[in-house]
Amino acid sequence: MSRPSNQRPRFSLESHNPPTPSHSLKHTKMSSKPYFLSFLLFFSLPTLISPSSFDSFVYGGCTQLKFSPNSPFQTNLNSLLTSLVNSATISSYNNLTVTGSDPTSSVSGLFQCRGDLSPSDCAECVRNSVSQLGILCLDSAGGTLQLQGCLVKYDNNTFLGVEDKTQVMKKCDPNSGYGSDLLSRRDEVLAGLGSGSGLFRVGESAYVHGMAQCVGDLSSGECSDCLSDAIEKLRDQCGTAVSGEVYLGKCYARYSSGEVYNKGSGSDSEDETGKTLAILIGLLAGVALIIVFLSFIRKAFEGKGK
């Protein structure tokens, strides 16, 4: 994700009292005016320059409906995102709704961190996600950003507690695992994820590892229903791939094969060793040529001296 150096993030995370127009939301083209404070740039730069494993980009999207600058909706959105960022320091999930004086200025939002993240990593991930949403969704009345470690979503339309099994992202490793052992272990892991309990689930079988998670506004039954669809799509669409992941609107499932990656690391190690030996041989050959050349010059001068 990149942006011009003079473009500021779009969410100020700071409430103020702007003039109140008659309509907060409108269908319009993307605005380029810098209406928002620049301090969120401090949060977004580390992610944009050197993302870590938990705050690297997975997918994002924005609604076409835009909000008017300096409107009640912007004020409520800033308040919502500030509250989400603050609550991420004490919880791995939260959802909030800021109600406006009319429906067009109300906004709902949530964040959810991956179940194995520490509180500090969760808070950092949500901060980075909110700041990147300001870059991704300019003046949009709704936006979603999924990073490896967390999800942040907001919208003017009610979505909390609504099951959503729309597929939004799929990624399958181009490498295939042709061994029947790998595929049977993969299927065993995915079956365990599907039959498990809780919103966050992990499983493994030898060198195959899996992970699945539902958004916290789903019930237990809705979560199992969502994961069942995600796992079926993952198995069908990724086939014999050594790793894969499928994200639906309110859940995701993924698996990876450590054995294949270890073999790959071994091959890389052998390649690096070969390169090192070639460099050493080249250096030794160069030194030998220099010695022969100097010896030749010394003999030539000795011959002239006679």
Side-chain angles (χ1 to χ4, degrees), residues 1-2 41-57 124-125 128 132 147-148:
M1 298 172 65
S2 61
L41 184 63
F42 174 80
F43 295 129
S44 63
L45 280 177
T47 302
L48 297 173
I49 295 174
S50 57
S52 63
S53 60
F54 65 81
D55 60 11
S56 55
F57 180 86
E124 181 181 350
C125 188
N128 289 335
Q132 289 187 54
L147 303 183
Q148 285 290 344

Side-chain angles (χ1 to χ4, degrees), residues 14-127:
E14 183 173 274
S15 298
H16 52 280
N17 297 312
T20 303
S22 57
H23 298 287
S24 297
L25 305 180
K26 59 182 179 179
H27 291 280
T28 183
K29 294 184 178 180
M30 194 171 285
S31 169
S32 60
K33 296 181 181 180
Y35 294 110
F36 303 92
L37 298 180
S38 62
F39 73 88
L40 274 180
L41 184 63
F42 174 80
F43 295 129
S44 63
L45 280 177
T47 302
L48 297 173
I49 295 174
S50 57
S52 63
S53 60
F54 65 81
D55 60 11
S56 55
F57 180 86
V58 177
Y59 71 85
C62 317
T63 63
Q64 293 184 347
L65 187 65
K66 306 296 180 182
F67 64 82
S68 301
N70 300 321
S71 66
F73 182 87
Q74 179 184 332
T75 302
N76 291 340
L77 177 58
N78 289 339
S79 176
L80 172 78
L81 295 176
T82 300
S83 297
L84 291 180
V85 170
N86 290 338
S87 60
T89 62
I90 57 175
S91 175
S92 61
Y93 168 80
N94 196 13
N95 70 75
L96 298 167
T97 296
V98 179
T99 304
S101 57
D102 62 89
T104 64
S105 60
S106 297
V107 60
S108 298
L110 63 78
F111 78 87
Q112 174 156 299
C113 290
R114 204 173 66 204
D116 59 347
L117 253 60
S118 68
S120 60
D121 286 345
C122 176
E124 181 181 350
C125 188
V126 173
R127 282 197 304 269

Side-chain angles (χ1 to χ4, degrees), residues 9-286:
R10 301 175 178 86
F11 303 135
S12 66
L13 298 194
E14 183 173 274
S15 298
H16 52 280
N17 297 312
T20 303
S22 57
H23 298 287
S24 297
L25 305 180
K26 59 182 179 179
H27 291 280
T28 183
K29 294 184 178 180
M30 194 171 285
S31 169
S32 60
K33 296 181 181 180
Y35 294 110
F36 303 92
L37 298 180
S38 62
F39 73 88
L40 274 180
L41 184 63
F42 174 80
F43 295 129
S44 63
L45 280 177
T47 302
L48 297 173
I49 295 174
S50 57
S52 63
S53 60
F54 65 81
D55 60 11
S56 55
F57 180 86
V58 177
Y59 71 85
C62 317
T63 63
Q64 293 184 347
L65 187 65
K66 306 296 180 182
F67 64 82
S68 301
N70 300 321
S71 66
F73 182 87
Q74 179 184 332
T75 302
N76 291 340
L77 177 58
N78 289 339
S79 176
L80 172 78
L81 295 176
T82 300
S83 297
L84 291 180
V85 170
N86 290 338
S87 60
T89 62
I90 57 175
S91 175
S92 61
Y93 168 80
N94 196 13
N95 70 75
L96 298 167
T97 296
V98 179
T99 304
S101 57
D102 62 89
T104 64
S105 60
S106 297
V107 60
S108 298
L110 63 78
F111 78 87
Q112 174 156 299
C113 290
R114 204 173 66 204
D116 59 347
L117 253 60
S118 68
S120 60
D121 286 345
C122 176
E124 181 181 350
C125 188
V126 173
R127 282 197 304 269
N128 289 335
S129 183
V130 167
S131 63
Q132 289 187 54
L133 267 174
I135 298 171
L136 180 69
C137 298
L138 176 61
D139 299 344
S140 291
T144 303
L145 182 59
Q146 174 75 63
L147 303 183
Q148 285 290 344
C150 65
L151 166 73
V152 174
K153 179 180 176 70
Y154 74 90
D155 206 313
N156 172 250
N157 293 320
T158 301
F159 65 91
L160 298 176
V162 179
E163 190 174 5
D164 182 3
K165 297 188 289 183
T166 305
Q167 182 171 321
V168 292
M169 201 282 289
K170 176 204 72 175
K171 182 179 180 182
C172 305
D173 195 297
N175 297 313
S176 295
Y178 294 105
S180 59
D181 182 65
L182 186 150
L183 295 180
S184 63
R185 291 187 183 279
R186 189 275 314 268
D187 289 342
E188 179 183 349
V189 169
L190 293 182
L193 295 177
S195 61
S197 60
L199 298 178
F200 178 69
R201 309 175 186 183
V202 294
E204 63 179 17
S205 178
Y207 51 86
V208 179
H209 308 273
M211 179 185 298
Q213 188 169 20
C214 297
V215 177
D217 62 337
L218 296 185
S219 67
S220 177
E222 290 171 336
C223 176
S224 295
D225 183 43
C226 188
L227 287 181
S228 177
D229 272 31
I231 290 169
E232 182 180 359
K233 293 178 186 296
L234 182 59
R235 184 185 290 109
D236 292 344
Q237 296 179 21
C238 286
T240 60
V242 298
S243 67
E245 50 192 310
V246 166
Y247 284 79
L248 306 186
K250 286 291 184 75
C251 69
Y252 69 84
R254 57 195 299 181
Y255 72 91
S256 62
S257 169
E259 181 184 67
V260 174
Y261 299 137
N262 289 337
K263 287 181 179 178
S265 298
S267 299
D268 290 342
S269 178
E270 291 171 3
D271 290 343
E272 289 301 318
T273 300
K275 291 177 182 178
T276 302
L277 288 174
I279 293 172
L280 289 176
I281 292 173
L283 289 174
L284 290 175

